[in-house]
PDB file of all heavy atoms in Angstrom:
ATOM      1  N   ASP W 498     -15.859-153.853-215.149  1.00 95.00           N
ATOM      2  CA  ASP W 498     -16.322-153.055-216.290  1.00 95.00           C
ATOM      3  C   ASP W 498     -15.311-153.103-217.438  1.00 95.00           C
ATOM      4  O   ASP W 498     -15.692-153.185-218.611  1.00 95.00           O
ATOM      5  CB  ASP W 498     -16.546-151.604-215.870  1.00 95.00           C
ATOM      6  CG  ASP W 498     -17.732-151.437-214.932  1.00 95.00           C
ATOM      7  OD1 ASP W 498     -18.583-152.356-214.894  1.00 95.00           O
ATOM      8  OD2 ASP W 498     -17.800-150.408-214.236  1.00 95.00           O
ATOM      9  N   LEU W 499     -14.030-153.043-217.093  1.00 95.00           N
ATOM     10  CA  LEU W 499     -12.990-153.110-218.122  1.00 95.00           C
ATOM     11  C   LEU W 499     -13.033-154.459-218.842  1.00 95.00           C
ATOM     12  O   LEU W 499     -12.828-154.533-220.056  1.00 95.00           O
ATOM     13  CB  LEU W 499     -11.609-152.890-217.493  1.00 95.00           C
ATOM     14  CG  LEU W 499     -11.312-151.482-216.980  1.00 95.00           C
ATOM     15  CD1 LEU W 499     -10.005-151.465-216.190  1.00 95.00           C
ATOM     16  CD2 LEU W 499     -11.239-150.469-218.123  1.00 95.00           C
ATOM     17  N   THR W 500     -13.308-155.517-218.102  1.00 95.00           N
ATOM     18  CA  THR W 500     -13.407-156.851-218.698  1.00 95.00           C
ATOM     19  C   THR W 500     -14.528-156.897-219.729  1.00 95.00           C
ATOM     20  O   THR W 500     -14.382-157.471-220.819  1.00 95.00           O
ATOM     21  CB  THR W 500     -13.660-157.915-217.612  1.00 95.00           C
ATOM     22  OG1 THR W 500     -12.597-157.870-216.657  1.00 95.00           O
ATOM     23  CG2 THR W 500     -13.727-159.306-218.227  1.00 95.00           C
ATOM     24  N   LEU W 501     -15.650-156.275-219.409  1.00 95.00           N
ATOM     25  CA  LEU W 501     -16.813-156.307-220.290  1.00 95.00           C
ATOM     26  C   LEU W 501     -16.666-155.383-221.487  1.00 95.00           C
ATOM     27  O   LEU W 501     -17.070-155.728-222.609  1.00 95.00           O
ATOM     28  CB  LEU W 501     -18.071-155.920-219.495  1.00 95.00           C
ATOM     29  CG  LEU W 501     -18.534-156.903-218.412  1.00 95.00           C
ATOM     30  CD1 LEU W 501     -19.682-156.304-217.617  1.00 95.00           C
ATOM     31  CD2 LEU W 501     -18.943-158.226-219.030  1.00 95.00           C
ATOM     32  N   ASN W 502     -16.095-154.207-221.270  1.00 95.00           N
ATOM     33  CA  ASN W 502     -16.116-153.159-222.286  1.00 95.00           C
ATOM     34  C   ASN W 502     -14.846-153.040-223.118  1.00 95.00           C
ATOM     35  O   ASN W 502     -14.857-152.378-224.162  1.00 95.00           O
ATOM     36  CB  ASN W 502     -16.400-151.811-221.622  1.00 95.00           C
ATOM     37  CG  ASN W 502     -17.751-151.786-220.938  1.00 95.00           C
ATOM     38  OD1 ASN W 502     -18.741-152.294-221.480  1.00 95.00           O
ATOM     39  ND2 ASN W 502     -17.817-151.210-219.740  1.00 95.00           N
ATOM     40  N   PHE W 503     -13.758-153.652-222.651  1.00 96.00           N
ATOM     41  CA  PHE W 503     -12.505-153.520-223.381  1.00 96.00           C
ATOM     42  C   PHE W 503     -11.852-154.893-223.568  1.00 96.00           C
ATOM     43  O   PHE W 503     -10.918-155.257-222.845  1.00 96.00           O
ATOM     44  CB  PHE W 503     -11.552-152.561-222.653  1.00 96.00           C
ATOM     45  CG  PHE W 503     -12.058-151.151-222.590  1.00 96.00           C
ATOM     46  CD1 PHE W 503     -12.801-150.713-221.504  1.00 96.00           C
ATOM     47  CD2 PHE W 503     -11.818-150.274-223.642  1.00 96.00           C
ATOM     48  CE1 PHE W 503     -13.287-149.420-221.462  1.00 96.00           C
ATOM     49  CE2 PHE W 503     -12.305-148.972-223.610  1.00 96.00           C
ATOM     50  CZ  PHE W 503     -13.041-148.545-222.519  1.00 96.00           C
ATOM     51  N   PRO W 504     -12.357-155.668-224.544  1.00 95.00           N
ATOM     52  CA  PRO W 504     -11.812-157.010-224.770  1.00 95.00           C
ATOM     53  C   PRO W 504     -10.348-156.993-225.192  1.00 95.00           C
ATOM     54  O   PRO W 504      -9.676-158.030-225.110  1.00 95.00           O
ATOM     55  CB  PRO W 504     -12.702-157.568-225.892  1.00 95.00           C
ATOM     56  CG  PRO W 504     -13.283-156.357-226.563  1.00 95.00           C
ATOM     57  CD  PRO W 504     -13.446-155.344-225.483  1.00 95.00           C
ATOM     58  N   GLU W 505      -9.858-155.822-225.634  1.00 95.00           N
ATOM     59  CA  GLU W 505      -8.443-155.747-226.001  1.00 95.00           C
ATOM     60  C   GLU W 505      -7.528-155.867-224.790  1.00 95.00           C
ATOM     61  O   GLU W 505      -6.326-156.137-224.938  1.00 95.00           O
ATOM     62  CB  GLU W 505      -8.139-154.449-226.758  1.00 95.00           C
ATOM     63  CG  GLU W 505      -8.449-153.166-226.011  1.00 95.00           C
ATOM     64  CD  GLU W 505      -9.841-152.625-226.306  1.00 95.00           C
ATOM     65  OE1 GLU W 505     -10.785-153.430-226.343  1.00 95.00           O
ATOM     66  OE2 GLU W 505      -9.978-151.404-226.511  1.00 95.00           O
ATOM     67  N   LEU W 506      -8.080-155.664-223.595  1.00 95.00           N
ATOM     68  CA  LEU W 506      -7.329-155.920-222.370  1.00 95.00           C
ATOM     69  C   LEU W 506      -7.539-157.395-222.039  1.00 95.00           C
ATOM     70  O   LEU W 506      -8.495-157.770-221.372  1.00 95.00           O
ATOM     71  CB  LEU W 506      -7.819-155.028-221.232  1.00 95.00           C
ATOM     72  CG  LEU W 506      -7.695-153.514-221.463  1.00 95.00           C
ATOM     73  CD1 LEU W 506      -8.309-152.743-220.302  1.00 95.00           C
ATOM     74  CD2 LEU W 506      -6.238-153.099-221.662  1.00 95.00           C
ATOM     75  N   THR W 507      -6.640-158.226-222.508  1.00 93.00           N
ATOM     76  CA  THR W 507      -6.890-159.663-222.526  1.00 93.00           C
ATOM     77  C   THR W 507      -6.511-160.390-221.240  1.00 93.00           C
ATOM     78  O   THR W 507      -6.897-161.535-221.048  1.00 93.00           O
ATOM     79  CB  THR W 507      -6.130-160.310-223.697  1.00 93.00           C
ATOM     80  OG1 THR W 507      -4.733-160.016-223.567  1.00 93.00           O
ATOM     81  CG2 THR W 507      -6.641-159.774-225.030  1.00 93.00           C
ATOM     82  N   THR W 508      -5.742-159.751-220.364  1.00 93.00           N
ATOM     83  CA  THR W 508      -5.285-160.437-219.160  1.00 93.00           C
ATOM     84  C   THR W 508      -5.702-159.673-217.902  1.00 93.00           C
ATOM     85  O   THR W 508      -5.873-158.446-217.930  1.00 93.00           O
ATOM     86  CB  THR W 508      -3.752-160.586-219.153  1.00 93.00           C
ATOM     87  OG1 THR W 508      -3.148-159.293-218.997  1.00 93.00           O
ATOM     88  CG2 THR W 508      -3.258-161.232-220.451  1.00 93.00           C
ATOM     89  N   PRO W 509      -5.862-160.379-216.787  1.00 93.00           N
ATOM     90  CA  PRO W 509      -6.182-159.686-215.522  1.00 93.00           C
ATOM     91  C   PRO W 509      -5.133-158.656-215.144  1.00 93.00           C
ATOM     92  O   PRO W 509      -5.473-157.599-214.591  1.00 93.00           O
ATOM     93  CB  PRO W 509      -6.228-160.836-214.502  1.00 93.00           C
ATOM     94  CG  PRO W 509      -6.565-162.044-215.306  1.00 93.00           C
ATOM     95  CD  PRO W 509      -5.878-161.843-216.626  1.00 93.00           C
ATOM     96  N   ARG W 510      -3.866-158.941-215.429  1.00 92.00           N
ATOM     97  CA  ARG W 510      -2.826-157.993-215.054  1.00 92.00           C
ATOM     98  C   ARG W 510      -2.944-156.692-215.849  1.00 92.00           C
ATOM     99  O   ARG W 510      -2.704-155.607-215.318  1.00 92.00           O
ATOM    100  CB  ARG W 510      -1.445-158.621-215.253  1.00 92.00           C
ATOM    101  CG  ARG W 510      -0.305-157.765-214.725  1.00 92.00           C
ATOM    102  CD  ARG W 510       0.962-158.568-214.545  1.00 92.00           C
ATOM    103  NE  ARG W 510       0.881-159.456-213.399  1.00 92.00           N
ATOM    104  CZ  ARG W 510       1.858-160.282-213.036  1.00 92.00           C
ATOM    105  NH1 ARG W 510       2.960-160.348-213.745  1.00 92.00           N
ATOM    106  NH2 ARG W 510       1.715-161.052-211.972  1.00 92.00           N
ATOM    107  N   GLN W 511      -3.320-156.783-217.120  1.00 94.00           N
ATOM    108  CA  GLN W 511      -3.549-155.559-217.899  1.00 94.00           C
ATOM    109  C   GLN W 511      -4.645-154.714-217.274  1.00 94.00           C
ATOM    110  O   GLN W 511      -4.528-153.497-217.172  1.00 94.00           O
ATOM    111  CB  GLN W 511      -3.921-155.923-219.344  1.00 94.00           C
ATOM    112  CG  GLN W 511      -2.757-156.316-220.230  1.00 94.00           C
ATOM    113  CD  GLN W 511      -3.213-156.533-221.654  1.00 94.00           C
ATOM    114  OE1 GLN W 511      -4.095-157.352-221.926  1.00 94.00           O
ATOM    115  NE2 GLN W 511      -2.631-155.789-222.577  1.00 94.00           N
ATOM    116  N   ARG W 512      -5.706-155.368-216.866  1.00 95.00           N
ATOM    117  CA  ARG W 512      -6.814-154.635-216.268  1.00 95.00           C
ATOM    118  C   ARG W 512      -6.422-154.039-214.911  1.00 95.00           C
ATOM    119  O   ARG W 512      -6.909-152.968-214.533  1.00 95.00           O
ATOM    120  CB  ARG W 512      -8.035-155.556-216.145  1.00 95.00           C
ATOM    121  CG  ARG W 512      -8.588-155.966-217.508  1.00 95.00           C
ATOM    122  CD  ARG W 512      -9.882-156.730-217.391  1.00 95.00           C
ATOM    123  NE  ARG W 512      -9.698-158.097-216.936  1.00 95.00           N
ATOM    124  CZ  ARG W 512      -9.441-159.128-217.729  1.00 95.00           C
ATOM    125  NH1 ARG W 512      -9.321-158.948-219.046  1.00 95.00           N
ATOM    126  NH2 ARG W 512      -9.311-160.351-217.235  1.00 95.00           N
ATOM    127  N   GLU W 513      -5.542-154.713-214.205  1.00 93.00           N
ATOM    128  CA  GLU W 513      -5.065-154.165-212.933  1.00 93.00           C
ATOM    129  C   GLU W 513      -4.276-152.885-213.145  1.00 93.00           C
ATOM    130  O   GLU W 513      -4.501-151.875-212.469  1.00 93.00           O
ATOM    131  CB  GLU W 513      -4.200-155.202-212.218  1.00 93.00           C
ATOM    132  CG  GLU W 513      -4.987-156.275-211.498  1.00 93.00           C
ATOM    133  CD  GLU W 513      -4.090-157.169-210.669  1.00 93.00           C
ATOM    134  OE1 GLU W 513      -3.274-157.895-211.258  1.00 93.00           O
ATOM    135  OE2 GLU W 513      -4.200-157.139-209.440  1.00 93.00           O
ATOM    136  N   VAL W 514      -3.313-152.910-214.092  1.00 94.00           N
ATOM    137  CA  VAL W 514      -2.458-151.734-214.259  1.00 94.00           C
ATOM    138  C   VAL W 514      -3.218-150.572-214.877  1.00 94.00           C
ATOM    139  O   VAL W 514      -2.872-149.405-214.660  1.00 94.00           O
ATOM    140  CB  VAL W 514      -1.193-152.061-215.093  1.00 94.00           C
ATOM    141  CG1 VAL W 514      -0.335-153.088-214.396  1.00 94.00           C
ATOM    142  CG2 VAL W 514      -1.537-152.523-216.501  1.00 94.00           C
ATOM    143  N   VAL W 515      -4.285-150.858-215.641  1.00 95.00           N
ATOM    144  CA  VAL W 515      -5.114-149.794-216.205  1.00 95.00           C
ATOM    145  C   VAL W 515      -6.034-149.196-215.143  1.00 95.00           C
ATOM    146  O   VAL W 515      -6.257-147.976-215.100  1.00 95.00           O
ATOM    147  CB  VAL W 515      -5.949-150.329-217.385  1.00 95.00           C
ATOM    148  CG1 VAL W 515      -7.088-149.370-217.738  1.00 95.00           C
ATOM    149  CG2 VAL W 515      -5.056-150.527-218.616  1.00 95.00           C
ATOM    150  N   SER W 516      -6.548-150.035-214.264  1.00 94.00           N
ATOM    151  CA  SER W 516      -7.584-149.585-213.333  1.00 94.00           C
ATOM    152  C   SER W 516      -7.090-148.532-212.355  1.00 94.00           C
ATOM    153  O   SER W 516      -7.851-147.616-212.002  1.00 94.00           O
ATOM    154  CB  SER W 516      -8.149-150.778-212.558  1.00 94.00           C
ATOM    155  OG  SER W 516      -7.154-151.374-211.744  1.00 94.00           O
ATOM    156  N   MET W 517      -5.840-148.625-211.927  1.00 91.00           N
ATOM    157  CA  MET W 517      -5.377-147.711-210.884  1.00 91.00           C
ATOM    158  C   MET W 517      -5.262-146.258-211.358  1.00 91.00           C
ATOM    159  O   MET W 517      -5.831-145.362-210.739  1.00 91.00           O
ATOM    160  CB  MET W 517      -4.060-148.196-210.286  1.00 91.00           C
ATOM    161  CG  MET W 517      -4.233-149.395-209.377  1.00 91.00           C
ATOM    162  SD  MET W 517      -5.510-149.120-208.107  1.00 91.00           S
ATOM    163  CE  MET W 517      -5.132-150.425-206.959  1.00 91.00           C
ATOM    164  N   PRO W 518      -4.532-145.954-212.439  1.00 92.00           N
ATOM    165  CA  PRO W 518      -4.489-144.553-212.872  1.00 92.00           C
ATOM    166  C   PRO W 518      -5.861-144.041-213.307  1.00 92.00           C
ATOM    167  O   PRO W 518      -6.192-142.877-213.083  1.00 92.00           O
ATOM    168  CB  PRO W 518      -3.497-144.565-214.039  1.00 92.00           C
ATOM    169  CG  PRO W 518      -3.440-145.967-214.511  1.00 92.00           C
ATOM    170  CD  PRO W 518      -3.679-146.813-213.293  1.00 92.00           C
ATOM    171  N   LEU W 519      -6.678-144.913-213.890  1.00 93.00           N
ATOM    172  CA  LEU W 519      -8.006-144.486-214.330  1.00 93.00           C
ATOM    173  C   LEU W 519      -8.890-144.165-213.130  1.00 93.00           C
ATOM    174  O   LEU W 519      -9.575-143.131-213.115  1.00 93.00           O
ATOM    175  CB  LEU W 519      -8.644-145.585-215.185  1.00 93.00           C
ATOM    176  CG  LEU W 519     -10.050-145.285-215.709  1.00 93.00           C
ATOM    177  CD1 LEU W 519     -10.084-143.987-216.492  1.00 93.00           C
ATOM    178  CD2 LEU W 519     -10.546-146.447-216.571  1.00 93.00           C
ATOM    179  N   TYR W 520      -8.849-144.991-212.107  1.00 93.00           N
ATOM    180  CA  TYR W 520      -9.660-144.733-210.918  1.00 93.00           C
ATOM    181  C   TYR W 520      -9.172-143.484-210.186  1.00 93.00           C
ATOM    182  O   TYR W 520      -9.978-142.665-209.730  1.00 93.00           O
ATOM    183  CB  TYR W 520      -9.627-145.935-209.977  1.00 93.00           C
ATOM    184  CG  TYR W 520     -10.606-145.814-208.835  1.00 93.00           C
ATOM    185  CD1 TYR W 520     -11.949-146.099-209.026  1.00 93.00           C
ATOM    186  CD2 TYR W 520     -10.189-145.394-207.579  1.00 93.00           C
ATOM    187  CE1 TYR W 520     -12.862-145.969-207.978  1.00 93.00           C
ATOM    188  CE2 TYR W 520     -11.094-145.258-206.528  1.00 93.00           C
ATOM    189  CZ  TYR W 520     -12.429-145.548-206.742  1.00 93.00           C
ATOM    190  OH  TYR W 520     -13.335-145.410-205.710  1.00 93.00           O
ATOM    191  N   GLY W 521      -7.863-143.328-210.077  1.00 91.00           N
ATOM    192  CA  GLY W 521      -7.321-142.146-209.405  1.00 91.00           C
ATOM    193  C   GLY W 521      -7.693-140.863-210.124  1.00 91.00           C
ATOM    194  O   GLY W 521      -8.071-139.863-209.487  1.00 91.00           O
ATOM    195  N   PHE W 522      -7.599-140.877-211.460  1.00 92.00           N
ATOM    196  CA  PHE W 522      -7.941-139.679-212.227  1.00 92.00           C
ATOM    197  C   PHE W 522      -9.422-139.357-212.089  1.00 92.00           C
ATOM    198  O   PHE W 522      -9.818-138.191-211.944  1.00 92.00           O
ATOM    199  CB  PHE W 522      -7.576-139.882-213.695  1.00 92.00           C
ATOM    200  CG  PHE W 522      -7.754-138.658-214.549  1.00 92.00           C
ATOM    201  CD1 PHE W 522      -6.911-137.570-214.412  1.00 92.00           C
ATOM    202  CD2 PHE W 522      -8.775-138.588-215.479  1.00 92.00           C
ATOM    203  CE1 PHE W 522      -7.082-136.426-215.188  1.00 92.00           C
ATOM    204  CE2 PHE W 522      -8.948-137.454-216.261  1.00 92.00           C
ATOM    205  CZ  PHE W 522      -8.101-136.371-216.120  1.00 92.00           C
ATOM    206  N   THR W 523     -10.246-140.405-212.103  1.00 93.00           N
ATOM    207  CA  THR W 523     -11.685-140.193-211.940  1.00 93.00           C
ATOM    208  C   THR W 523     -11.995-139.609-210.564  1.00 93.00           C
ATOM    209  O   THR W 523     -12.850-138.718-210.429  1.00 93.00           O
ATOM    210  CB  THR W 523     -12.436-141.520-212.131  1.00 93.00           C
ATOM    211  OG1 THR W 523     -12.134-142.055-213.430  1.00 93.00           O
ATOM    212  CG2 THR W 523     -13.944-141.313-212.026  1.00 93.00           C
ATOM    213  N   ALA W 524     -11.300-140.086-209.533  1.00 91.00           N
ATOM    214  CA  ALA W 524     -11.509-139.557-208.182  1.00 91.00           C
ATOM    215  C   ALA W 524     -11.143-138.082-208.113  1.00 91.00           C
ATOM    216  O   ALA W 524     -11.852-137.281-207.475  1.00 91.00           O
ATOM    217  CB  ALA W 524     -10.682-140.357-207.175  1.00 91.00           C
ATOM    218  N   PHE W 525     -10.039-137.711-208.764  1.00 91.00           N
ATOM    219  CA  PHE W 525      -9.623-136.314-208.771  1.00 91.00           C
ATOM    220  C   PHE W 525     -10.682-135.442-209.452  1.00 91.00           C
ATOM    221  O   PHE W 525     -11.045-134.369-208.958  1.00 91.00           O
ATOM    222  CB  PHE W 525      -8.278-136.175-209.491  1.00 91.00           C
ATOM    223  CG  PHE W 525      -7.684-134.794-209.410  1.00 91.00           C
ATOM    224  CD1 PHE W 525      -6.921-134.415-208.315  1.00 91.00           C
ATOM    225  CD2 PHE W 525      -7.889-133.878-210.438  1.00 91.00           C
ATOM    226  CE1 PHE W 525      -6.366-133.137-208.242  1.00 91.00           C
ATOM    227  CE2 PHE W 525      -7.349-132.600-210.367  1.00 91.00           C
ATOM    228  CZ  PHE W 525      -6.586-132.230-209.265  1.00 91.00           C
ATOM    229  N   LEU W 526     -11.206-135.923-210.581  1.00 92.00           N
ATOM    230  CA  LEU W 526     -12.243-135.172-211.293  1.00 92.00           C
ATOM    231  C   LEU W 526     -13.525-135.087-210.468  1.00 92.00           C
ATOM    232  O   LEU W 526     -14.243-134.077-210.516  1.00 92.00           O
ATOM    233  CB  LEU W 526     -12.533-135.838-212.634  1.00 92.00           C
ATOM    234  CG  LEU W 526     -11.447-135.718-213.714  1.00 92.00           C
ATOM    235  CD1 LEU W 526     -11.875-136.496-214.963  1.00 92.00           C
ATOM    236  CD2 LEU W 526     -11.179-134.269-214.074  1.00 92.00           C
ATOM    237  N   THR W 527     -13.812-136.138-209.718  1.00 92.00           N
ATOM    238  CA  THR W 527     -15.030-136.140-208.902  1.00 92.00           C
ATOM    239  C   THR W 527     -14.955-135.079-207.811  1.00 92.00           C
ATOM    240  O   THR W 527     -15.952-134.398-207.509  1.00 92.00           O
ATOM    241  CB  THR W 527     -15.256-137.527-208.293  1.00 92.00           C
ATOM    242  OG1 THR W 527     -15.386-138.489-209.355  1.00 92.00           O
ATOM    243  CG2 THR W 527     -16.521-137.564-207.441  1.00 92.00           C
ATOM    244  N   ILE W 528     -13.782-134.914-207.222  1.00 92.00           N
ATOM    245  CA  ILE W 528     -13.609-133.845-206.234  1.00 92.00           C
ATOM    246  C   ILE W 528     -13.763-132.490-206.916  1.00 92.00           C
ATOM    247  O   ILE W 528     -14.427-131.576-206.382  1.00 92.00           O
ATOM    248  CB  ILE W 528     -12.225-133.947-205.561  1.00 92.00           C
ATOM    249  CG1 ILE W 528     -12.158-135.185-204.665  1.00 92.00           C
ATOM    250  CG2 ILE W 528     -11.913-132.688-204.755  1.00 92.00           C
ATOM    251  CD1 ILE W 528     -13.089-135.161-203.481  1.00 92.00           C
TER     252      ILE W 528
END
Side-chain angles (χ1 to χ4, degrees):
D498 291 341
L499 290 171
T500 302
L501 293 173
N502 298 318
F503 295 92
E505 59 267 43
L506 300 176
T507 57
T508 69
R510 187 162 287 179
Q511 282 185 303
R512 294 187 285 273
E513 281 187 294
V514 297
V515 164
S516 64
M517 286 308 196
L519 179 55
Y520 189 80
F522 186 70
T523 302
F525 187 85
L526 289 177
T527 300
I528 291 295

